[in-house]
Amino acid sequence: MTLPPTPSQTVGPFYGYALPFTGGGDLAPAGHPDALTVHGRVYDGASAPVPDALVEIWQPAPDGSRRGAPGSLRRDPVTGRFAGRDATAFTGFARVPTDADGHWAVRTLPPGGVPYLAVAVFARGLLHHLYTRAYLTDAPGTADELLSALPPDRRATLIAAPEPNRTYRFDIRLQGEGETVFLDFG
Amino acid sequence: MTAQPPTQADIGAEMARARDAYAKAVADGAPVRHHPGRDYAPYRSSALRHPVRPLVAVADPGAAELSGPVFGVTDVTDLDHDLTRQHPGEPLGERITVTGRVLDRAGRPVRGQLVELWQANASGRYAHLRDRHPAPLDPNFTGVGRCLTDDRGAYTFTTVRPGAYPWRNHTNAWRPAHLHFSLFGNAFTQRLVTQMYFPGDPLFPHDPILQSVTDEAARQRLVAAYDHELSTPEWALGYRWDIVLDGPAATWAEEGRR
């Protein structure tokens, strides 16, 4: 049996008090020596920053496990407020809203088994979210099926550019010149 | 000189053209389109926020996106599913129960997964700084709920029916009453953010966000059913809305997660 799916609708402008949570970008435990930062801006088709986008990350744990772990939205059972992750489990999931300048950032650990973070983008004006990938390496010979199938200019949009201090820059351009490669999983 | 904002008649004509073009395409053999086109022009905010290049297909069985995040008892408190009990007093409005099942396209329940809901209050105002609609805020209503699906994939929320509200897509634009839903499946590819509508709303034909789903049957799947059996005597009206998540998942996830 194949059921027809429920259609997507835009996240709208007012999710800000509902979906983001404290520590949403802090996948890596505080002070972890392998922690790296991935950050960037979301731009629209006029190259203006998008201040009301939501970026979600999913990735395998450093050991390659794809089972994830609960606790991304861990709560204080007394107050009901967000308590942050428990400093041990690697949940694999991050959610960060862009700021007024369209910027977002996550602190995470290197993904095991794949060279990329899976990225989903939601925004007012976007009727159906978009998937892309932030590749943390562009080393020659990287045998990645998706990257090697893309022409160089398109491929470049998926590469998170290394910066000092274990930081990578990954901008997302929704439309126009330098438009990010977005993915369809069927 | 500033261009005049479009009227409801202008937007209505654009929506009718999009519906007609879709109907003709399907009649000519194009596949049914379950999701909105990201380039749906009557929703003006989409103009600069949709890609113009085609999406790139990924068929790799090793893709990390075929697995996805999990949530558990630490992520949700006991009262999160009841939006009427988050403040000292009772919110104003018509109390409702909304329930349904989350399934994948094979009809299998999505178990133990996070369902998030957010909404305007009974007057049509969001508890958000940037919502300037001059309708009253309700000190007893925030409008955010969460729950985990059970072993049948079922979720349940208690809340109040939200009001319709104006927005600036065009002159005299009003959104039909709706609940925003965010859902996780067994894979990141099954992620869904959508909106649930209430049956019989007279604003349906005027709303470019709902009408962005140009397939009539697909649009109907965004509308909950009033279910009298779910109504609680002397307490709340009941609505039923089942959700089917699109997208593939790794086969190991098929047994469901806890």
Side-chain angles (χ1 to χ4, degrees):
Chain A
M1 122 174 115
T2 302
L3 300 175
T6 304
S8 171
Q9 295 269 269
T10 179
V11 74
F14 296 135
Y15 59 83
Y17 68 98
L19 296 183
F21 52 92
T22 308
D26 297 334
L27 271 165
H32 195 292
D34 297 335
L36 49 91
T37 298
V38 183
H39 75 120
R41 285 198 165 76
V42 181
Y43 294 102
D44 71 11
S47 297
V50 176
D52 48 8
L54 185 73
V55 175
E56 289 186 351
I57 304 288
W58 163 248
Q59 64 165 98
D63 68 1
S65 168
R66 298 183 179 192
R67 292 191 172 257
S72 294
L73 285 77
R74 203 168 66 100
R75 309 286 287 287
D76 179 331
V78 177
T79 63
R81 294 196 185 99
F82 291 112
R85 291 173 176 82
D86 73 0
T88 55
F90 186 80
T91 72
F93 176 68
R95 175 188 280 169
V96 281
T98 53
D99 66 17
D101 203 21
H103 186 257
W104 60 276
V106 300
R107 277 183 67 260
T108 189
L109 299 176
V114 294
Y116 56 84
L117 312 182
V119 179
V121 187
F122 304 81
R124 176 180 66 84
L126 189 54
L127 284 158
H128 193 177
H129 63 275
L130 289 163
Y131 292 107
T132 186
R133 285 177 177 174
Y135 281 83
L136 299 183
T137 173
D138 192 23
T142 298
D144 184 87
E145 197 176 309
L146 171 63
L147 282 188
S148 49
L150 292 170
D153 61 323
R154 297 285 280 153
R155 168 189 166 109
T157 71
L158 298 183
I159 307 300
E163 294 179 337
N165 302 314
R166 299 178 62 79
T167 297
Y168 295 81
R169 173 73 184 238
F170 186 70
D171 291 334
I172 298 167
R173 296 178 188 277
L174 296 176
Q175 187 187 82
E177 193 177 338
E179 183 177 296
T180 299
V181 169
F182 296 107
L183 306 175
D184 178 7
F185 294 94
Chain B
M1 200 176 101
T2 315
Q4 291 294 311
T7 65
Q8 182 70 55
D10 296 333
I11 294 294
E14 287 183 34
M15 293 192 294
R17 279 198 295 277
R19 270 196 306 276
D20 292 349
Y22 170 75
K24 181 171 187 311
V26 170
D28 291 346
V32 168
R33 188 162 198 175
H34 297 298
H35 295 286
R38 296 180 179 88
D39 59 350
Y40 187 73
Y43 175 37
R44 290 295 193 253
S45 304
S46 71
L48 292 171
R49 293 184 170 198
H50 70 272
V52 294
R53 307 191 66 150
L55 304 189
V56 174
V58 176
D60 172 15
E65 291 87 350
L66 298 175
S67 57
V70 294
F71 301 89
V73 293
T74 55
D75 294 303
V76 177
T77 74
D78 292 345
L79 286 179
D80 282 357
H81 71 282
D82 188 340
L83 287 75
T84 69
R85 294 172 66 192
Q86 298 174 351
H87 296 276
E90 288 266 340
L92 296 171
E94 185 181 305
R95 191 182 297 110
I96 60 173
T97 302
V98 180
T99 190
R101 294 177 72 202
V102 184
L103 307 170
D104 69 12
R105 291 197 63 180
R108 293 172 295 218
V110 174
R111 300 187 176 103
Q113 260 302 10
L114 181 68
V115 180
E116 298 166 286
L117 175 156
W118 73 102
Q119 62 170 102
N121 69 22
S123 303
R125 177 88 181 261
Y126 287 88
H128 189 294
L129 186 66
R130 288 180 58 214
D131 186 355
R132 305 288 167 79
H133 175 34
L137 286 166
D138 184 340
N140 291 312
F141 191 73
T142 304
V144 178
R146 290 180 201 86
C147 71
L148 298 176
T149 55
D150 67 15
D151 280 344
R152 296 175 49 251
Y155 71 88
T156 302
F157 290 104
T158 301
T159 184
V160 297
R161 182 175 172 136
Y165 59 83
W167 61 310
R168 291 178 180 171
N169 189 69
H170 53 278
T171 301
N172 207 17
W174 291 80
R175 294 293 333 274
H178 58 275
L179 305 179
H180 294 268
F181 273 79
S182 159
L183 300 127
F184 292 82
N186 293 320
F188 202 47
T189 57
Q190 295 177 345
R191 189 84 178 84
L192 178 68
V193 167
T194 188
Q195 303 181 23
M196 185 209 94
Y197 299 86
F198 292 86
D201 195 315
L203 290 169
F204 286 166
H206 302 300
D207 179 41
I209 292 183
L210 175 60
Q211 297 296 327
S212 70
V213 181
T214 48
D215 186 82
E216 167 69 20
R219 214 157 53 235
Q220 287 304 319
R221 294 198 293 278
L222 292 175
V223 183
Y226 171 69
D227 185 341
H228 200 70
E229 294 300 309
L230 283 175
S231 292
T232 312
E234 317 289 325
W235 184 249
L237 293 173
Y239 290 88
R240 183 176 299 283
W241 190 52
D242 292 335
I243 298 159
V244 177
L245 303 181
D246 211 350
T251 46
W252 64 265
E254 286 180 1
E255 292 158 23
R257 307 268 198 84
R258 284 314 300 252

Short mmCIF file of all heavy atoms in Angstrom, two decimals, chain B residues 61-100:
data_model
loop_
_atom_site.label_atom_id
_atom_site.label_comp_id
_atom_site.label_asym_id
_atom_site.label_seq_id
_atom_site.Cartn_x
_atom_site.Cartn_y
_atom_site.Cartn_z
N PRO B 61 22.25 4.68 -1.45
CA PRO B 61 21.70 3.96 -0.29
C PRO B 61 22.51 4.19 0.98
O PRO B 61 22.04 3.86 2.07
CB PRO B 61 21.75 2.49 -0.73
CG PRO B 61 22.77 2.42 -1.81
CD PRO B 61 22.77 3.76 -2.49
N GLY B 62 23.71 4.79 0.85
CA GLY B 62 24.51 5.08 2.02
C GLY B 62 24.35 6.50 2.54
O GLY B 62 25.07 6.92 3.45
N ALA B 63 23.39 7.25 1.98
CA ALA B 63 23.22 8.65 2.38
C ALA B 63 22.85 8.74 3.86
O ALA B 63 21.97 8.01 4.34
CB ALA B 63 22.14 9.31 1.53
N ALA B 64 23.48 9.66 4.56
CA ALA B 64 23.19 9.85 5.99
C ALA B 64 21.76 10.31 6.21
O ALA B 64 21.18 10.09 7.28
CB ALA B 64 24.17 10.86 6.59
N GLU B 65 21.17 10.94 5.19
CA GLU B 65 19.80 11.46 5.33
C GLU B 65 18.76 10.35 5.44
O GLU B 65 17.60 10.62 5.75
CB GLU B 65 19.47 12.35 4.13
CG GLU B 65 20.24 13.66 4.08
CD GLU B 65 21.61 13.53 3.38
OE1 GLU B 65 22.05 12.38 3.10
OE2 GLU B 65 22.22 14.59 3.12
N LEU B 66 19.16 9.11 5.15
CA LEU B 66 18.21 8.00 5.27
C LEU B 66 18.06 7.52 6.71
O LEU B 66 17.28 6.62 7.00
CB LEU B 66 18.63 6.83 4.37
CG LEU B 66 18.65 7.18 2.87
CD1 LEU B 66 19.20 6.02 2.05
CD2 LEU B 66 17.25 7.55 2.40
N SER B 67 18.84 8.12 7.61
CA SER B 67 18.60 7.97 9.04
C SER B 67 18.24 9.36 9.56
O SER B 67 18.26 10.32 8.81
CB SER B 67 19.85 7.43 9.74
OG SER B 67 20.95 8.30 9.49
N GLY B 68 17.90 9.45 10.83
CA GLY B 68 17.50 10.77 11.32
C GLY B 68 17.47 10.85 12.83
O GLY B 68 17.69 9.86 13.53
N PRO B 69 17.20 12.07 13.33
CA PRO B 69 17.25 12.29 14.77
C PRO B 69 16.15 11.52 15.51
O PRO B 69 15.11 11.21 14.96
CB PRO B 69 17.05 13.80 14.93
CG PRO B 69 16.62 14.31 13.61
CD PRO B 69 16.94 13.30 12.57
N VAL B 70 16.44 11.22 16.78
CA VAL B 70 15.46 10.59 17.66
C VAL B 70 15.27 11.45 18.90
O VAL B 70 16.14 12.27 19.25
CB VAL B 70 15.90 9.16 18.08
CG1 VAL B 70 15.94 8.24 16.87
CG2 VAL B 70 17.25 9.17 18.77
N PHE B 71 14.14 11.28 19.53
CA PHE B 71 13.80 12.05 20.72
C PHE B 71 13.25 11.09 21.76
O PHE B 71 12.93 9.94 21.44
CB PHE B 71 12.79 13.14 20.36
CG PHE B 71 13.31 14.08 19.32
CD1 PHE B 71 13.11 13.82 17.96
CD2 PHE B 71 14.07 15.19 19.66
CE1 PHE B 71 13.63 14.65 16.98
CE2 PHE B 71 14.60 16.02 18.68
CZ PHE B 71 14.38 15.76 17.34
N GLY B 72 13.17 11.55 22.99
CA GLY B 72 12.72 10.65 24.04
C GLY B 72 12.09 11.40 25.20
O GLY B 72 11.78 12.60 25.09
N VAL B 73 11.92 10.70 26.31
CA VAL B 73 11.20 11.28 27.46
C VAL B 73 11.90 12.51 28.02
O VAL B 73 11.26 13.34 28.66
CB VAL B 73 11.02 10.25 28.59
CG1 VAL B 73 10.08 9.14 28.15
CG2 VAL B 73 12.37 9.67 29.02
N THR B 74 13.22 12.64 27.77
CA THR B 74 13.90 13.82 28.30
C THR B 74 13.54 15.08 27.51
O THR B 74 13.78 16.19 27.99
CB THR B 74 15.44 13.64 28.22
OG1 THR B 74 15.81 13.35 26.87
CG2 THR B 74 15.91 12.53 29.14
N ASP B 75 12.98 14.91 26.31
CA ASP B 75 12.74 16.05 25.42
C ASP B 75 11.36 16.69 25.58
O ASP B 75 11.09 17.73 24.98
CB ASP B 75 12.90 15.60 23.96
CG ASP B 75 14.33 15.20 23.61
OD1 ASP B 75 15.22 16.04 23.80
OD2 ASP B 75 14.53 14.06 23.18
N VAL B 76 10.48 16.03 26.31
CA VAL B 76 9.09 16.46 26.39
C VAL B 76 8.64 16.35 27.84
O VAL B 76 8.94 15.36 28.51
CB VAL B 76 8.20 15.56 25.49
CG1 VAL B 76 6.74 15.93 25.61
CG2 VAL B 76 8.65 15.65 24.03
N THR B 77 7.93 17.35 28.36
CA THR B 77 7.38 17.21 29.71
C THR B 77 5.91 16.78 29.62
O THR B 77 5.29 16.87 28.57
CB THR B 77 7.47 18.53 30.53
OG1 THR B 77 6.49 19.44 30.03
CG2 THR B 77 8.86 19.15 30.43
N ASP B 78 5.39 16.34 30.76
CA ASP B 78 4.04 15.76 30.79
C ASP B 78 2.95 16.73 30.33
O ASP B 78 1.90 16.30 29.89
CB ASP B 78 3.70 15.29 32.21
CG ASP B 78 4.56 14.10 32.62
OD1 ASP B 78 5.17 13.50 31.73
OD2 ASP B 78 4.62 13.80 33.82
N LEU B 79 3.20 18.02 30.49
CA LEU B 79 2.15 18.99 30.17
C LEU B 79 2.29 19.61 28.79
O LEU B 79 1.45 20.39 28.38
CB LEU B 79 2.15 20.12 31.22
CG LEU B 79 1.59 19.73 32.59
CD1 LEU B 79 1.67 20.92 33.53
CD2 LEU B 79 0.14 19.26 32.46
N ASP B 80 3.32 19.23 28.07
CA ASP B 80 3.60 19.90 26.79
C ASP B 80 2.49 19.72 25.76
O ASP B 80 2.33 20.55 24.87
CB ASP B 80 4.90 19.37 26.17
CG ASP B 80 6.14 19.95 26.82
OD1 ASP B 80 5.99 20.81 27.72
OD2 ASP B 80 7.25 19.56 26.42
N HIS B 81 1.74 18.62 25.87
CA HIS B 81 0.71 18.35 24.87
C HIS B 81 -0.57 19.13 25.15
O HIS B 81 -1.50 19.11 24.35
CB HIS B 81 0.38 16.86 24.83
CG HIS B 81 -0.36 16.42 26.05
ND1 HIS B 81 0.26 16.21 27.26
CD2 HIS B 81 -1.67 16.20 26.25
CE1 HIS B 81 -0.65 15.86 28.15
NE2 HIS B 81 -1.82 15.84 27.58
N ASP B 82 -0.62 19.80 26.33
CA ASP B 82 -1.85 20.51 26.69
C ASP B 82 -1.55 22.01 26.73
O ASP B 82 -1.00 22.52 27.71
CB ASP B 82 -2.38 20.01 28.03
CG ASP B 82 -3.75 20.59 28.34
OD1 ASP B 82 -4.12 21.62 27.73
OD2 ASP B 82 -4.45 20.01 29.19
N LEU B 83 -1.91 22.71 25.67
CA LEU B 83 -1.57 24.13 25.55
C LEU B 83 -2.48 25.01 26.42
O LEU B 83 -2.25 26.22 26.50
CB LEU B 83 -1.66 24.59 24.09
CG LEU B 83 -0.55 24.10 23.16
CD1 LEU B 83 -0.70 22.63 22.80
CD2 LEU B 83 -0.48 24.93 21.89
N THR B 84 -3.48 24.39 27.05
CA THR B 84 -4.39 25.16 27.90
C THR B 84 -3.93 25.16 29.36
O THR B 84 -4.58 25.76 30.21
CB THR B 84 -5.83 24.61 27.84
OG1 THR B 84 -5.89 23.33 28.49
CG2 THR B 84 -6.31 24.48 26.40
N ARG B 85 -2.82 24.47 29.66
CA ARG B 85 -2.40 24.33 31.06
C ARG B 85 -0.99 24.83 31.28
O ARG B 85 -0.29 24.38 32.18
CB ARG B 85 -2.51 22.87 31.50
CG ARG B 85 -3.95 22.39 31.52
CD ARG B 85 -4.02 20.89 31.77
NE ARG B 85 -3.54 20.52 33.09
CZ ARG B 85 -3.29 19.27 33.46
NH1 ARG B 85 -3.43 18.28 32.60
NH2 ARG B 85 -2.88 19.01 34.68
N GLN B 86 -0.55 25.77 30.47
CA GLN B 86 0.83 26.25 30.59
C GLN B 86 0.95 27.54 31.39
O GLN B 86 2.04 28.11 31.53
CB GLN B 86 1.43 26.43 29.20
CG GLN B 86 1.50 25.11 28.43
CD GLN B 86 1.96 25.28 26.99
OE1 GLN B 86 2.07 26.40 26.50
NE2 GLN B 86 2.21 24.18 26.30
N HIS B 87 -0.18 28.06 31.89
CA HIS B 87 -0.20 29.32 32.62
C HIS B 87 -1.15 29.18 33.81
O HIS B 87 -1.94 28.25 33.86
CB HIS B 87 -0.65 30.45 31.69
CG HIS B 87 0.30 30.69 30.55
ND1 HIS B 87 1.42 31.48 30.67
CD2 HIS B 87 0.33 30.19 29.29
CE1 HIS B 87 2.08 31.47 29.51
NE2 HIS B 87 1.45 30.69 28.66
N PRO B 88 -1.10 30.13 34.74
CA PRO B 88 -1.97 30.00 35.92
C PRO B 88 -3.46 29.94 35.58
O PRO B 88 -4.22 29.24 36.24
CB PRO B 88 -1.63 31.24 36.75
CG PRO B 88 -0.24 31.59 36.36
CD PRO B 88 -0.13 31.23 34.90
N GLY B 89 -3.89 30.67 34.55
CA GLY B 89 -5.32 30.68 34.24
C GLY B 89 -5.62 29.96 32.94
O GLY B 89 -4.71 29.53 32.21
N GLU B 90 -6.90 29.85 32.62
CA GLU B 90 -7.35 29.20 31.39
C GLU B 90 -7.30 30.19 30.23
O GLU B 90 -7.72 31.34 30.37
CB GLU B 90 -8.79 28.73 31.55
CG GLU B 90 -8.95 27.55 32.46
CD GLU B 90 -8.94 26.24 31.67
OE1 GLU B 90 -9.19 26.27 30.46
OE2 GLU B 90 -8.66 25.20 32.28
N PRO B 91 -6.83 29.76 29.07
CA PRO B 91 -6.88 30.66 27.91
C PRO B 91 -8.31 30.87 27.43
O PRO B 91 -9.18 30.04 27.67
CB PRO B 91 -6.06 29.92 26.85
CG PRO B 91 -6.12 28.49 27.24
CD PRO B 91 -6.24 28.46 28.75
N LEU B 92 -8.52 32.01 26.77
CA LEU B 92 -9.81 32.27 26.14
C LEU B 92 -9.91 31.48 24.84
O LEU B 92 -8.90 31.20 24.19
CB LEU B 92 -9.96 33.76 25.84
CG LEU B 92 -9.99 34.66 27.08
CD1 LEU B 92 -9.92 36.12 26.68
CD2 LEU B 92 -11.24 34.38 27.91
N GLY B 93 -11.12 31.13 24.46
CA GLY B 93 -11.32 30.47 23.17
C GLY B 93 -12.05 29.15 23.31
O GLY B 93 -12.38 28.69 24.40
N GLU B 94 -12.24 28.55 22.14
CA GLU B 94 -13.00 27.30 22.05
C GLU B 94 -12.03 26.14 22.26
O GLU B 94 -11.13 25.93 21.44
CB GLU B 94 -13.61 27.25 20.64
CG GLU B 94 -14.52 26.13 20.32
CD GLU B 94 -15.00 26.28 18.87
OE1 GLU B 94 -15.55 27.34 18.51
OE2 GLU B 94 -14.80 25.33 18.09
N ARG B 95 -12.18 25.40 23.36
CA ARG B 95 -11.23 24.31 23.67
C ARG B 95 -11.42 23.17 22.68
O ARG B 95 -12.55 22.79 22.37
CB ARG B 95 -11.45 23.83 25.10
CG ARG B 95 -10.37 22.90 25.60
CD ARG B 95 -10.63 22.40 27.00
NE ARG B 95 -10.66 23.45 27.99
CZ ARG B 95 -11.73 23.89 28.63
NH1 ARG B 95 -12.91 23.37 28.37
NH2 ARG B 95 -11.65 24.84 29.52
N ILE B 96 -10.31 22.65 22.17
CA ILE B 96 -10.38 21.56 21.20
C ILE B 96 -9.35 20.48 21.54
O ILE B 96 -8.33 20.75 22.18
CB ILE B 96 -10.13 22.04 19.74
CG1 ILE B 96 -8.76 22.69 19.59
CG2 ILE B 96 -11.24 22.99 19.29
CD1 ILE B 96 -8.39 23.04 18.15
N THR B 97 -9.65 19.26 21.08
CA THR B 97 -8.69 18.16 21.10
C THR B 97 -8.35 17.86 19.66
O THR B 97 -9.25 17.74 18.82
CB THR B 97 -9.32 16.91 21.75
OG1 THR B 97 -9.74 17.24 23.07
CG2 THR B 97 -8.32 15.78 21.81
N VAL B 98 -7.06 17.75 19.36
CA VAL B 98 -6.64 17.38 18.00
C VAL B 98 -5.81 16.11 18.12
O VAL B 98 -4.84 16.07 18.89
CB VAL B 98 -5.79 18.50 17.35
CG1 VAL B 98 -5.37 18.10 15.94
CG2 VAL B 98 -6.57 19.80 17.33
N THR B 99 -6.21 15.08 17.38
CA THR B 99 -5.50 13.81 17.47
C THR B 99 -5.40 13.17 16.09
O THR B 99 -6.19 13.50 15.19
CB THR B 99 -6.18 12.87 18.48
OG1 THR B 99 -5.35 11.73 18.71
CG2 THR B 99 -7.52 12.39 17.98
N GLY B 100 -4.47 12.28 15.95
CA GLY B 100 -4.31 11.57 14.67
C GLY B 100 -3.10 10.68 14.74
O GLY B 100 -2.44 10.56 15.79
#
